[in-house]
Amino acid sequence: MKITVDEDKCCGAGQCVLLAPEVFDQRDDDGIVVLLDAAPAAGHHAAVRESAAVCPAAAIVLSEDA
Amino acid sequence: MTQVGSVLVVGASAAGLATAEALRRKGYQGALTVIGGEFHPPYDRPPLSKQVLAGEWVPERAQLRTADQLAALDAEIVLQDPARSLDTAARTVRTASGRAVRADAVVIATGLRSRAFPGQQSLEGVHTLRSLDDALALRSALQSADRTVVIGDGVLGAEIAATARGMGVDVTLVGMLTAPMVGLLGSRMAARLAQLHTDRGVHMEFGVAVEFLQEERGRVTAVGLADGRVLPARTVVVAIGSVPATDWLTDSGLTVADGVVCDAFCQAADGVYAVGDVARWHHRGLGKFVRWENRTNANEQAAAVAANILGENRPYTPVPYMWTDQFDAKIQAHGLLGEDADVQVVEGSEEDGRFVALYRRDGHMTGVLGWNMPKQARLHRAAVVDHYTAQAALHA
């Protein structure tokens, strides 16, 4: 799994951090997503898929075959 | 519930698409059909009043998925063919083109329609903003507009006013209540928002109703207020709320009362579910029926509906979340803030324009507001979760 985030789309909701705190964080100053791990271990995949699904700004894109 | 072999999602916007995707993510391999009334593939609405209206994004950037991603969903996606009726017992939907689709589970995701001001439809220069086409039409009007009046107390009117002002337009925002978004933010923070708009040059007319739209040869020329004043305008935006798009369900036998009424599992009838802006469901945490028009609810409720279609039997008890970006303010709300709450700033400062405030009502922590502090607001979210889930846990 390979993750890319679109900082320009990100609205700073932080839903991704609630679901997968090992993979996502937010910048302190403006809340924009910080990708901690662009290719997380399999154990995180379900939470990452959930994060991408609930992101209200559609700012997380996953590529499963990478 | 017996094994579901076919699902029909009525509505091809955020909530409908998210439901279809959640079903596949959870391993559903049966037939999947999504029908939508619009020409465009599924797109996102929050950018319409901001980035798309401002011209910062090309319209395609608001699309929720690429063509490849939609193809990977392995669903039949039918566009430009709005649903016209639902036979609830037979779980069959008929569309404008005469198509009839039957499914083991039907998901209603038809969203909202803009509420109209009486007589506005026949007038040139009067706009609403709900669809992508609406946004592009309004953008085109604002590019040549001199005086524009935006009518509305809610988040949409305030966002449109801010965006138009950013485009250099002379804008007046008119509302019946005391301040913009007062129902969502409470009076103290709504006053702060009103001040921000004033500082940036938006003319604010609050606490006054709009009585009529003045016209000349079929084109709007002014907005008449209840106090007798007349505001000249070449462009008028009506943002006075929305109504659930449920006309097509009149003969369905479903209970429709400001939305499709559902149980705690988002089920409206056996095998019929509703999701997103159109759904009024029983929130067990709050102990009442609610209908939420926020973007996050579309995705979260979609996951709950997909789970329940597949037999998980999970009551839906979310903590609401909404955000708005106006001028340089990023405002975020976790939970419900409310007009009558006690507001306490717990981090940052109002003077600096960066703070987190907690909202307390009847002894309960009900909401967290972040003003240019999204991360810090999210960190305080835990303080309100109990209010939305504790009661549900008792009844589980």
Side-chain angles (χ1 to χ4, degrees), chain B residues 205-251:
Chain B
E205 295 290 353
F206 274 75
V208 61
V210 171
E211 292 253 288
F212 61 91
L213 301 176
Q214 202 170 72
E215 57 128 346
E216 208 176 293
R217 290 192 290 277
R219 185 177 177 98
V220 72
T221 56
V223 173
L225 304 183
D227 59 12
R229 286 178 301 152
V230 175
L231 308 174
R234 202 174 152 69
T235 300
V236 172
V237 185
V238 176
I240 55 174
S242 304
V243 289
T246 51
D247 328 18
W248 65 286
L249 295 170
T250 306
D251 298 322

Side-chain angles (χ1 to χ4, degrees), chain B residues 177-213:
Chain B
L177 305 177
T178 52
M181 293 180 66
V182 66
L184 283 164
L185 299 178
S187 48
R188 179 166 154 196
M189 294 305 164
R192 167 166 286 278
L193 181 65
Q195 189 59 50
L196 173 65
H197 277 252
T198 301
D199 291 346
R200 297 306 178 94
V202 177
H203 310 293
M204 303 294 276
E205 295 290 353
F206 274 75
V208 61
V210 171
E211 292 253 288
F212 61 91
L213 301 176

Side-chain angles (χ1 to χ4, degrees), chain B residues 348-396:
Chain B
S349 82
E350 290 190 75
E351 291 69 38
D352 298 342
R354 288 191 81 216
F355 60 90
V356 177
L358 291 181
Y359 283 59
R360 196 181 273 107
R361 246 184 315 173
D362 306 326
H364 294 276
M365 205 76 87
T366 61
V368 178
L369 172 87
W371 192 291
N372 284 329
M373 279 195 142
K375 178 177 182 175
Q376 296 78 1
R378 194 253 309 155
L379 289 167
H380 283 279
R381 176 186 180 274
V384 305
V385 170
D386 270 4
H387 181 67
Y388 298 89
T389 57
Q391 202 184 330
L394 284 178
H395 294 105

Side-chain angles (χ1 to χ4, degrees), chain A residues 6 8 15 26 28-29, chain B residues 61 300 332 354 376 378:
Chain A
D6 188 330
D8 173 47
Q15 304 287 92
Q26 287 174 277
D28 288 337
D29 55 340
Chain B
R61 190 148 163 66
E300 293 183 346
Q332 321 242 330
R354 288 191 81 216
Q376 296 78 1
R378 194 253 309 155

Side-chain angles (χ1 to χ4, degrees), chain B residues 89-339:
Chain B
R91 288 194 294 272
T92 299
V93 169
R94 286 192 164 69
T95 68
S97 75
R99 195 186 300 262
V101 186
R102 200 213 73 82
D104 295 338
V106 173
V107 181
I108 297 167
T110 41
L112 307 172
R113 267 186 238 301
S114 301
R115 185 176 285 138
F117 194 83
Q120 77 166 76
Q121 285 92 340
S122 55
L123 281 184
E124 226 182 296
V126 183
H127 294 256
T128 50
L129 201 171
R130 177 70 195 160
S131 69
L132 178 56
D133 292 340
D134 292 342
L136 297 176
L138 178 58
R139 170 163 175 74
S140 167
L142 291 178
Q143 282 175 309
S144 58
D146 33 21
R147 286 182 176 175
T148 295
V149 173
V150 180
I151 306 168
D153 295 301
V155 59
L156 183 64
E159 286 187 351
I160 292 169
T163 302
R165 188 68 201 118
M167 294 168 72
V169 176
D170 182 304
V171 188
T172 303
L173 180 58
V174 183
M176 284 206 297
L177 305 177
T178 52
M181 293 180 66
V182 66
L184 283 164
L185 299 178
S187 48
R188 179 166 154 196
M189 294 305 164
R192 167 166 286 278
L193 181 65
Q195 189 59 50
L196 173 65
H197 277 252
T198 301
D199 291 346
R200 297 306 178 94
V202 177
H203 310 293
M204 303 294 276
E205 295 290 353
F206 274 75
V208 61
V210 171
E211 292 253 288
F212 61 91
L213 301 176
Q214 202 170 72
E215 57 128 346
E216 208 176 293
R217 290 192 290 277
R219 185 177 177 98
V220 72
T221 56
V223 173
L225 304 183
D227 59 12
R229 286 178 301 152
V230 175
L231 308 174
R234 202 174 152 69
T235 300
V236 172
V237 185
V238 176
I240 55 174
S242 304
V243 289
T246 51
D247 328 18
W248 65 286
L249 295 170
T250 306
D251 298 322
S252 66
L254 296 178
T255 305
V256 175
D258 185 29
V260 176
V261 177
C262 300
D263 62 15
F265 306 91
C266 311
Q267 188 163 235
D270 190 27
V272 178
Y273 300 79
V275 63
D277 295 339
V278 78
R280 176 174 295 282
W281 85 100
H282 190 254
H283 189 305
R284 278 199 186 164
L286 293 170
K288 62 181 181 186
F289 286 87
V290 295
R291 185 175 69 75
W292 288 347
E293 295 178 4
N294 67 66
R295 179 62 181 82
T296 322
N297 183 53
N299 287 358
E300 293 183 346
Q301 195 167 22
V305 165
N308 289 335
I309 288 173
L310 300 177
E312 280 185 35
N313 234 19
R314 190 209 306 172
Y316 179 52
T317 57
V319 177
Y321 166 81
M322 67 83 62
W323 85 95
T324 178
D325 300 332
Q326 296 173 35
F327 300 109
D328 59 3
K330 286 172 83 78
I331 303 170
Q332 321 242 330
H334 296 272
L336 300 172
L337 306 178
E339 247 171 301

